[in-house]
Structures are given as C-alpha cells and as structure tokens.
Amino acid sequence: MTIAEIIVDVPTMQTNLPYSYVVPKELETKIQPGMRVVVPFGKGNRKVEGFVVKVDHDTEKAATATTQLKSLTSLMDLHPVVNTELLKLSQWLAETTYSFRISCLLTMLPNVMKAKYQTLVVPVAPVTDPWLLDHFPHQDAIPLDQDHFSNQELARLTELRKQGQVQIQYQVHNQAKPKTELAVLNQIQDFERCRESIRKNATGQLALLNQLERHPKTPLQQRTLVKQTGISPAVIKNFENRGWITKTTVEKYRNPEQHPIARDQPKRLTTDQQHAVSTINAAVTDQQPTTFLLEGVTGSGKTEVYLQTIQRALDQDEQALMLVPEIALTPQMVTRVKRRFGDQVAILHSGLSNGEKYDEWRRINEGTAQVVVGARSAIFAPLQNLGLIILDEEHDPSYKQSDNPRYHTRDIALWRAQYHHCPVILGSATPSLESRARAEKDVYHLLRLPERINGQQLPEIQVVDMTNALERTGDLFSNELLQALQATIDRHEQAVLLLNRRGFSSFMLCRDCGYVLKCPHCDISLTMHLDSHTMKCHYCGYETAIPTECPHCHGHHIRYFGTGTEKATQQLQQLLPQTRILRMDVDTTRKKGAHRRILQQFGAHQADILLGTQMIAKGLDFPDVTLVGVLNADTGLELPDFRASERTFDLLTQVAGRAGRAEKAGQVIIQTFNPEHYAIQLAQRQDYEAFFHREMQLRHLAGYSPYFYTVLVTVSALKEKEAAAEAGRVSSLLHDNVAQTTEILGPTPRPIARIKNRYYYQIIVKYKHDRQLPAALNRIQAISQKEVRKGFRIAIDVEPQSFM
Ligand SMILES: Nc1ncnc2c1ncn2[C@@H]1O[C@H](COP(=O)(O)OP(=O)(O)OP(=O)(O)O)[C@@H](O)[C@H]1O
Ligand SMILES: [Zn+2]
Ligand SMILES: [Zn+2]
C-alpha cells in the first residue's frame, strides 16, 4: 500500500504536521512529492487541497491503522510543481520564521498556480495517441479535475505529459486567458492530389499548400501566415471547408520585454574589479558556498562584477540568480543584464501581469532561462543547477517580507547556496550593519571597490541648515539649492531631487479648533492629493473628498502642513518657470510601463529635473545628472526605529551616488534641520566605514542588532482593551518560558497603534543566546491558530526590519 503525507490547506486549522492518506491503486506509481492533490478533510470530508511532501511505497502499517486512513481523492498536477530542494526549503522556512508550511509552499509558487485558478490539460498537436484523440476530439483544453478525469485517466495523463503529448495551462477565472494564437494544422495526406484540384492562378491557395507540405506536422500560426506569406483569411477558410486543415491554438509566451536589445561585450576590468571577479570566480569554479560582501562605493562598477561572475557560472553550465530590490529593478538594470545575456534571462517583478510571471516561471522551471533577475520572491525561482546567487543592494529593507512567512531574502540565499554549493555575492555601497559585522568576523569574505570607475571623484556634498535657510526663503527650497539648479539647467545638465513623501500636503489642520483630519480606520492623518482631488490614507487606501470646511467646527480656516512630491513639483515650477520637471512617485508610476516611460523621457533629456521619492535613489545611471538635491533629509531620522540613522545614511549615500557618474563632476546639496547629526555628517563625507564603526558602538551600548537578536511579536484585535489584554497574556507566556538573560520589552502600543480598524500591541524580545526561545515561540504560533477564531491576530517576526 502507498501512503502519501500531505500538508493540507485549511486556513483555520493549520498545523505543520502532514496528514497521511492512502494513495488509490491507479496513482501509486504516478504520485510524487511536490504535486498538489485533493483530499477529504475533517468530519464532513470536505474536499481541500494539499501538497504531497512524502510518498511511502509498500508501507507495512498495521491493517487496523490503515483502515482508518482516508484515501486521497485526486491529483491536481501531473508533475511536481515544487521540486525536492524547495520542499526541503519550505520545511526550514516554516521552522525558522514560525510560519505554517502551507503558506511557505504557496509563497514559492507564482500567483496563477494558487487555488482560485483552474488547471487545464491541453493536448499538444499533432495528436496521435488514440486515447487522446478520443478524449479531446476538438483538441481543446479540459479542466484537470475529478469531474473530467478518473484516477486511472489521471495516471495516464501523467505519462502523456512526460512524453510531451499534453501540456498544463492555468486559467484565471474571469481574467485573461493564457495567451494563445490561432493556428492551422495540416490534415492532408496526399499533397499531389490536392495540388491538382487547385486552379493554377490561385496563388494564395498554392502558397498555403506549400507551407503545409513543408510543415505537415506542426501547427502554423494564422497571423504569421497572413502577415508574412500574404495568404488571405479567405484561403484559410476555404481549406478548412475542404477538410484540408483544422483550426487549433498554440500557446505563446508573453514576452514582457518586447523590443530587441543590442548585445554588449564584457568591459575591461579595473584592478579592484579584477580582484573581486577572480576571487569570486574561483569560488564558482570550486563550488564553494562562500558569502562575499562586495562593498563598493556608488558608481564603482559592482554590476560589471555581477555580470562577469554570472558569465563564469554559465560557462560551466550552471545558472545564476540575481536579486534586486523592487524599486531598483529599473528598466536600466534589466537592460544591462539582457544586453549581456540576451534571451537566457528571465525577469520576475511585480510590474508583470500574473500571466507574464507564470510564463517566466515556466521558462525557469523548464530550464530555458539560465539567468533570473527578480525582486524578493524570485529567490524561490526553481533553478535546478545554481552556480551563483547575487543580492544587489543587500541592505535594502524590502528584502524582508512583511507578511507570513516573514523571511529575509538573504537568509534564503544563504540556504540555497549551501544546497547548491555555490557562492553568494552581497553587494552594496552601504552594507547592512549585520552583514558588515559578519565580514569583520570573517564569516563573510569582504571585497571592496573603494573608487569610482575611471577614478572619478565622489560628488562634493554640501549640507544646508534649513533652520537658517527657512528664515531666508520661508520655503522648501534653500537659495543654495535654487541657484545650483539654475546653474545646472544653464549648463544643459540635469538634476535629481529627492523628497521622501508623496502627495501634496501631509496633514490638514483646522486653525479654529485644532482638528486634524485623520483616517477613520487608522491612527494616521490623511494626505491631500491634488491630482485626484482627494484626501488619502497611505496605510489602508481610504479616500475622501478634500473638505472645504472643518468637519468638526465647520470653520473655514483650514491649513495644510507638510509638503509632498506633488506640492514640491508645483512650487518648483513657479520658482523656475522655464524648467521641465518630471515627478516620479507611487502616484505617477501606478500604470504599467509608467516607470520606464518617465526614465526614458529623462534619459532623452525631455526634462531637466527628476523629482521623486526614494524610488529615484537607486540604480539610476544617467551621465548628464550633475546635481542631486535632498529636500528633507530628516523625515527618516524621526522614526521610532533603532535603524533610523542607518536608513538615513543609506538613502543619502545612494541618492548622492546618482550625481557625476560619467565625465562631468557631480554636486550634492542636502537640506536638513539636523546638520549636526552624525548620520548626515558622515553621509556628507560619504564615509561608510566611519559610519559603520560609529553606529556599531551605539548599537552595542543600546543592545541592538547585530549585538543582540530581536523578535517582534505583534498582537491585534478590533477592541483596544482586548488587544492589550491578549498582548499581556502572550508576554507572560514569554516571561515564563525564555532564558533568564533574555529581555522582553513591552507590551506597548505600536507607533501607529491602529490600522484598518485593528489595534496593535507589540512585544520586543532581545537575546543573545536562548535555547528555550524557539519552543516558546512555537507555542505562541500554535496558540495563534485558536486565537484567530476569537478575533485575535498574533504575528511573530524574527529580526524585524520595521517597528511601525
Ligand atoms: N571596467 C569598466 N570599464 C568601463 N566602464 C565601466 C566598467 N565597469 C563599470 N563601468 C561603467 O561605470 C558605470 C558605473 O557602474 P555601475 O553602475 O555598475 O556601478 P555600481 O557600483 O553598480 O553603482 P551603484 O551602486 O551606484 O548603482 C556604469 O555606467 C558602467 O557601465
Ligand atoms: Zn475646526
Ligand atoms: Zn487608513
């Protein structure tokens, strides 16, 4: 008898223990770990989905035990969708992030493969198998489920899939179907006889006949026939009526990068680059899972190091995975990789439609793509033979997933590197303190690129004290910055301006009664957006009309405070009327392709100034940008987070690095109310090493990462009192079960205490060594399941990247 162990997908009864099911006889030799199945679950034998994690053939279980086991109902896949490596990874991920294995497994799959999508079986033309001909008389797609196929038939389909006679497609209900093309399939046996029956001057018909004769067994795309050989649709119709062809469809890959990209050659490396490349390449060749920290100042040519080490992996028939933060996944970066590696590259990012993502995923799964470039979730790309993993901008907080499973991409990269025996490159101009500290202890191998390419100087940075500047101009733009902007434009060069807040004004205050307009669902004031004429909540998306009077006292003395990108653009336009300004923030890049368009316009000099939020700080490489201005360096410093200084230093360094990257020298102006702050002063000197040592001392004194580990436990409920009480219970459970030396801070209300009508309390656990902690957190995880039914949500976040 064959038993399958299955992780079931039942949201309210999650457990990390698999359930055992008997495998029906017909499927015994077909079922494999990593396939999804349908099983009966619970008292009502409700049908639920699950993942096979293990298959035991010939189990000698006692008859009494097995008679109590239920039988699984059917297969949802004809082949594993999660491979052996990723199955193993899911287990480790569940354990280390205190999440449920089912959510780990689901996280690894592209969206289209998740439950609400229908799986279809499609025969691959030309169909020869008699059984297939019988079951798919019209050669169309049939849903892969129990209504359509018995288990015996499912078993047969797994075989046919292996032989390439059927394919699997995923269809989104009520959404775009998988992209297919109309095609025609030849049915003619005797071409000579057909040719005789065609009039000699019917050139279209003869042309089609020739095409068919040349490709008697492959479906021909109708569009290509019409476009390239000039065969009219009427001719095709005619052939169909005579029974010479049948209509069919062929699936086509949706290619997100349409235009062809010219290839380039590897660059001649500088001495520092050469050292880095040969050190890393040695590890690629020797299959050493070494972690390299590539600390290179902005514009030092880190990307070229990535490209040449990827090449080494490809040379030995291995694959490479390159991760970039979502907002750094700019068209510029994608183009650079495609230029070097062409069609071998697959791109995964949130700008793609689900269908496009699935196509890219499939190219990876089938081994067509050798290089994968993607944002966070691409770390799960099912590459089978990894030779190198790269995390660019490794310090970026977006590498941490904020939902279950709350993993850090870096940890997964290191795990996969061990599995594949391949090196990892962590690259950054401003490495995270954690990584830099590990390099200090030789856990990571430090490689430095201390100079810019061609010996270019880092740009000169000037700090403008806005407490004085304000008195002079009373505005968002200091005279220094305005003059520098004017000069840049006069020289026909370009400027980039950073303002880390979108919208127009950040809050509305009534001067009569002091009322501040807040989101009704969150503890946060609403931001005015002039382009949509609304007040928006940046946390839950709530929108309401811009009030003309105070909703509280009905007074008319309303004032708006705080400046966002929208207002800054408007003001700047008034100050420099002739200037062409492009704004780039979440609001202007919402539409597909907008991001690319804005950058293209800027690159083509259709604008003088690019003003935007932090999305402009990363990865941009425009030779004519000689001025960078930071309008408000302080927004990040005020956050209640021990990483506030690090984040500010990183952002300033990154954005400053956009200036003067080519021949022309760059200039940077940072406006701040805290000119004495060490993060700002050291960013001015662009001295990462000094910042690292200074910040390490402070972290040591305060007992924070990397000296201590932290776990954040958050409890929420609809009523504030209940959230507080539950947080209290969780906190005492922790107190009673962790090591003496472990510190437990809180519970305290979260800095933004209410979001989407839920009240949040948080507990911070700080420790150095604590063997008991995992068991305590496991208990909390188990409890969280029961508490959900009472309306509580408990989240465990290991090494949190945000405390908001
Ligand atoms: N060896 C080389 N010879 C000539 N040009 C190079 C070389 N290496 C890199 N470059 C060019 O130098 C510029 C800066 O390199 P790159 O963008 O890779 O730096 P980076 O370290 O990734 O920068 P950042 O971290 O600021 O994004 C690019 O235009 C790149 O094409
Ligand atoms: Zn009022
Ligand atoms: Zn809200």
Side-chain angles (χ1 to χ4, degrees):
M1 161 169 319
T2 301
I3 308 281
E5 311 232 307
I6 291 163
I7 297 283
V8 292
D9 187 4
V10 187
T12 55
M13 286 197 42
Q14 290 189 0
T15 151
N16 275 339
L17 294 179
Y19 289 85
S20 297
Y21 285 89
V22 175
V23 179
K25 265 265 163 315
E26 318 82 86
L27 297 177
E28 277 183 352
T29 58
K30 305 299 173 209
I31 191 161
Q32 287 178 57
M35 285 180 172
R36 291 168 305 168
V37 290
V38 179
V39 297
F41 190 81
K43 289 212 186 73
N45 279 335
R46 173 160 74 94
K47 296 282 194 288
V48 301
E49 295 178 17
F51 278 85
V52 181
V53 291
K54 200 166 165 225
V55 178
D56 277 327
H57 295 293
D58 313 314
T59 41
E60 298 286 319
K61 291 212 172 154
T64 45
T66 49
T67 47
Q68 284 160 17
L69 285 185
K70 294 174 188 171
S71 226
L72 68 83
T73 312
S74 73
L75 299 183
M76 286 176 61
D77 294 310
L78 299 181
H79 65 128
V81 290
V82 177
N83 65 27
T84 319
E85 180 202 358
L86 295 181
L87 273 179
K88 227 173 155 173
L89 173 60
S90 72
Q91 183 164 10
W92 175 82
L93 190 57
E95 279 164 17
T96 52
T97 63
Y98 302 93
S99 41
F100 290 104
R101 195 143 170 219
I102 189 72
S103 57
C104 297
L105 287 163
L106 289 172
T107 296
M108 296 176 174
L109 294 182
N111 270 339
V112 279
M113 293 173 73
K114 291 168 195 172
K116 53 186 183 294
Y117 300 88
Q118 192 173 36
T119 310
L120 302 173
V121 200
V122 200
V124 177
V127 178
T128 48
D129 185 279
W131 181 84
L132 263 186
L133 279 173
D134 214 37
H135 280 73
F136 295 77
H138 306 295
Q139 301 192 19
D140 43 6
I142 299 185
L144 182 66
D145 59 32
Q146 311 129 255
D147 297 342
H148 294 87
F149 298 103
S150 69
N151 281 339
Q152 219 141 23
E153 291 170 329
L154 283 176
R156 180 163 210 144
L157 283 172
T158 61
E159 266 323 301
L160 290 170
R161 194 207 68 87
K162 250 190 238 151
Q163 298 162 13
Q165 300 205 42
V166 296
Q167 274 188 350
I168 295 303
Q169 289 179 358
Y170 297 91
Q171 185 165 337
V172 185
H173 290 298
N174 307 321
Q175 278 190 31
K177 294 208 177 92
K179 275 259 163 84
T180 53
E181 290 264 308
L182 270 184
V184 301
L185 188 64
N186 171 54
Q187 301 296 339
I188 300 172
Q189 306 284 343
D190 186 343
F191 283 94
E192 276 322 304
R193 254 193 41 214
C194 296
R195 192 165 278 120
E196 281 159 19
S197 70
I198 298 176
R199 274 184 294 117
K200 292 286 163 287
N201 58 355
T203 47
Q205 295 191 26
L206 287 170
L208 180 54
L209 192 73
N210 290 339
Q211 286 292 330
L212 292 172
E213 193 171 23
R214 228 169 285 151
H215 313 278
K217 294 221 152 91
T218 25
L220 302 173
Q221 291 187 17
Q222 190 160 320
R223 220 164 48 132
T224 324
L225 285 176
V226 172
K227 228 172 156 176
Q228 289 175 5
T229 45
I231 293 164
S232 72
V235 171
I236 293 171
K237 187 90 205 123
N238 175 312
F239 272 42
E240 195 187 1
N241 292 342
R242 298 207 210 178
W244 290 358
I245 54 172
T246 47
K247 286 259 173 87
T248 176
T249 54
V250 288
E251 198 178 348
K252 73 166 194 198
Y253 286 120
R254 283 152 281 218
N255 186 357
E257 299 289 326
Q258 297 294 354
H259 51 273
I261 295 175
R263 299 291 284 269
D264 77 345
Q265 291 297 320
K267 294 187 168 56
R268 264 193 58 181
L269 300 175
T270 64
T271 319
D272 291 325
Q273 281 177 322
Q274 184 58 57
H275 172 70
V277 166
S278 40
T279 313
I280 297 164
N281 278 352
V284 175
T285 307
D286 298 344
Q287 311 206 315
Q288 290 294 331
T290 314
T291 305
F292 295 96
L293 179 62
L294 181 64
E295 181 188 322
V297 299
T298 53
S300 59
K302 294 184 287 291
T303 313
E304 189 61 31
V305 173
Y306 304 151
L307 297 176
Q308 297 205 16
T309 48
I310 290 174
Q311 186 62 55
R312 172 64 62 95
L314 297 182
D315 287 344
Q316 51 189 57
D317 286 328
E318 291 180 319
Q319 302 149 337
L321 176 54
M322 175 165 163
L323 278 295
V324 287
E326 184 72 51
I327 53 172
L329 192 49
T330 57
Q332 272 197 325
M333 180 58 108
V334 170
T335 308
R336 282 168 84 175
V337 183
K338 287 214 162 171
R339 255 200 209 123
R340 197 63 58 83
F341 303 112
D343 292 340
Q344 304 174 78
V345 183
I347 308 287
L348 294 170
H349 66 87
S350 65
L352 302 183
S353 69
N354 279 339
E356 286 168 342
K357 269 188 226 157
Y358 169 62
D359 286 349
E360 293 291 86
W361 184 88
R362 197 170 41 150
R363 287 179 57 219
I364 300 163
N365 208 27
E366 289 166 357
T368 325
Q370 303 300 319
V371 180
V372 175
V373 183
R376 185 176 62 225
S377 63
I379 193 64
F380 298 113
L383 292 162
Q384 306 264 9
N385 195 13
L386 267 174
L388 178 65
I389 305 176
I390 297 164
L391 241 76
D392 187 30
E393 314 276 4
E394 70 92 31
H395 63 278
D396 197 277
S398 74
Y399 279 129
K400 178 73 189 274
Q401 167 142 307
S402 55
D403 275 330
N404 266 329
R406 296 181 166 79
Y407 65 85
H408 199 296
T409 311
R410 191 194 298 128
D411 298 329
I412 303 205
L414 298 188
W415 189 96
R416 293 195 72 183
Q418 288 293 334
Y419 186 92
H420 288 273
H421 303 287
C422 74
V424 175
I425 309 176
L426 306 175
S428 178
T430 54
S432 63
L433 258 75
E434 289 80 0
S435 293
R436 183 62 186 79
R438 267 174 213 147
E440 195 73 8
K441 293 188 153 182
D442 286 330
V443 181
Y444 296 167
H445 185 144
L446 183 63
L447 294 167
R448 294 186 59 194
L449 304 176
E451 272 159 37
R452 283 193 151 181
I453 291 293
N454 304 333
Q456 270 295 332
Q457 292 293 308
L458 283 167
E460 191 74 34
I461 300 184
Q462 184 185 348
V463 171
V464 175
D465 184 352
M466 287 302 272
T467 44
N468 299 333
L470 265 192
E471 283 166 23
R472 287 207 309 268
T473 65
D475 234 330
L476 188 66
F477 297 91
S478 62
N479 288 336
E480 286 91 334
L481 182 56
L482 280 177
Q483 279 159 13
L485 281 169
Q486 191 61 60
T488 306
I489 294 157
D490 291 345
R491 290 194 308 268
H492 303 289
E493 293 169 357
Q494 292 176 297
V496 166
L497 293 179
L498 171 79
L499 176 61
N500 218 351
R501 193 187 285 139
R502 66 193 177 97
F504 195 82
S505 299
S506 50
F507 64 97
M508 184 221 96
L509 176 92
C510 169
R511 275 162 58 202
D512 292 336
C513 74
Y515 179 85
V516 172
L517 188 62
K518 285 188 164 186
C519 173
H521 312 294
C522 308
D523 232 1
I524 197 100
S525 56
L526 295 176
T527 301
M528 178 161 76
H529 285 248
L530 271 190
D531 44 11
S532 55
H533 297 286
T534 51
M535 303 292 295
K536 281 189 196 170
C537 170
H538 285 184
Y539 277 81
C540 72
Y542 170 85
E543 284 183 56
T544 181
I546 299 173
T548 50
E549 55 171 44
C550 170
H552 187 67
C553 73
H554 303 289
H556 288 273
H557 296 111
I558 292 175
R559 273 204 60 181
Y560 292 92
F561 288 90
T563 304
T565 42
E566 208 187 332
K567 182 156 150 198
T569 310
Q570 201 183 75
Q571 275 191 11
L572 188 60
Q573 197 65 75
Q574 281 158 6
L575 291 164
L576 304 171
Q578 304 302 325
T579 311
R580 298 161 303 167
I581 307 169
L582 277 171
R583 170 160 70 97
M584 189 156 101
D585 55 26
V586 178
D587 302 299
T588 61
T589 54
R590 200 159 277 142
K591 277 212 197 90
K592 204 179 162 186
H595 193 176
R596 168 188 286 278
R597 224 172 10 256
I598 293 176
L599 292 178
Q600 251 165 10
Q601 282 174 356
F602 192 60
H605 271 265
Q606 289 166 17
D608 310 299
I609 299 177
L610 179 66
L611 189 156
T613 54
Q614 72 205 44
M615 64 170 71
I616 61 163
K618 292 206 169 94
L620 303 189
D621 188 16
F622 291 111
D624 288 333
V625 172
T626 52
L627 174 66
V628 164
V630 179
L631 300 181
N632 59 344
D634 311 299
T635 36
L637 278 180
E638 296 144 13
L639 299 178
D641 187 328
F642 71 84
R643 288 195 182 86
S645 300
E646 187 184 354
R647 294 273 149 76
T648 302
F649 179 86
D650 291 354
L651 183 62
L652 295 179
T653 310
Q654 291 292 340
V655 69
R658 299 311 108 208
R661 292 169 70 86
E663 280 85 57
K664 297 170 200 139
Q667 177 193 5
V668 179
I669 295 177
I670 295 177
Q671 302 186 151
T672 176
F673 289 95
N674 299 287
E676 307 298 321
H677 197 285
Y678 69 101
I680 293 189
Q681 293 202 338
L682 291 172
Q684 178 179 20
R685 282 164 40 198
Q686 303 200 55
D687 192 343
Y688 170 77
E689 287 290 311
F691 177 79
F692 167 69
H693 291 293
R694 173 80 191 261
E695 183 70 14
M696 283 293 273
Q697 283 173 354
L698 294 175
R699 299 277 179 95
H700 186 68
L701 284 173
Y704 280 118
S705 174
Y707 292 97
F708 282 81
Y709 298 111
T710 41
V711 177
L712 176 71
V713 182
T714 311
V715 176
S716 75
L718 286 171
K719 296 213 174 89
E720 181 166 15
K721 255 171 115 182
E722 289 181 2
E726 179 74 0
R729 287 190 289 273
V730 170
S731 157
S732 6
L733 188 151
L734 282 168
H735 271 290
D736 295 346
N737 289 284
V738 298
Q740 286 278 308
T741 49
T742 296
E743 254 185 277
I744 293 167
L745 310 176
T748 49
R750 201 165 67 170
I752 299 171
R754 185 173 62 120
I755 291 177
K756 293 192 196 174
N757 290 323
R758 297 188 73 86
Y759 289 88
Y760 288 83
Y761 272 74
Q762 63 185 25
I763 300 157
I764 297 173
V765 184
K766 284 205 317 193
Y767 65 102
K768 249 193 143 91
H769 307 283
D770 188 340
R771 282 159 181 261
Q772 293 153 263
L773 183 62
L777 292 172
N778 276 324
R779 270 183 63 186
I780 293 175
Q781 187 196 359
I783 291 170
S784 74
Q785 276 297 294
K786 297 189 199 103
E787 300 299 273
V788 163
R789 273 164 271 162
K790 297 186 205 150
F792 294 115
R793 283 188 213 146
I794 304 177
I796 301 172
D797 191 350
V798 177
E799 294 303 311
Q801 290 292 310
S802 161
F803 296 85
M804 302 292 282

